[in-house]
Amino acid sequence: MARISFKTAKTNFMEISTELAIGDKAWKIRDSKAVCFEVGCILYDGAVYYGENRYDVTIATQCFASKEELIKYVTSE
């Protein structure tokens, strides 16, 4: 779990908690295959995104902490 803190124009302080932290391993689907990647950046733009770098990010709802979680998500109805 990671906490991201920053100042905003409207409020003095904002804190966002994420399920994954920099350096964690995560799973996602890329080109119809399950792939593992190391979280190298976390972006927030109204939603949380994880990526190996800032040019290849995936929304948090499509990233999973384990391959089993990914398989469960894919096979659920």
Side-chain angles (χ1 to χ4, degrees):
M1 183 166 174
R3 292 193 188 284
I4 303 168
S5 301
F6 55 92
K7 289 189 173 187
T8 64
K10 294 182 181 177
T11 62
N12 291 334
F13 182 74
M14 182 175 203
E15 184 172 285
I16 300 165
S17 295
T18 63
E19 292 181 19
L20 301 171
I22 302 279
D24 287 352
K25 299 288 184 191
W27 288 83
K28 67 180 179 179
I29 297 175
R30 181 189 297 148
D31 298 327
S32 302
K33 294 182 182 181
V35 294
C36 183
F37 69 98
E38 183 175 330
V39 177
C41 70
I42 301 172
L43 301 176
Y44 178 77
D45 184 20
V48 175
Y49 295 84
Y50 300 113
E52 295 178 78
N53 57 59
R54 66 183 178 155
Y55 303 109
D56 180 25
V57 296
T58 303
I59 193 162
T61 57
Q62 300 297 310
C63 294
F64 303 89
S66 69
K67 189 174 186 179
E68 291 75 23
E69 287 181 29
L70 173 61
I71 291 169
K72 183 178 177 181
Y73 173 79
V74 170
T75 58
S76 67
E77 294 185 22

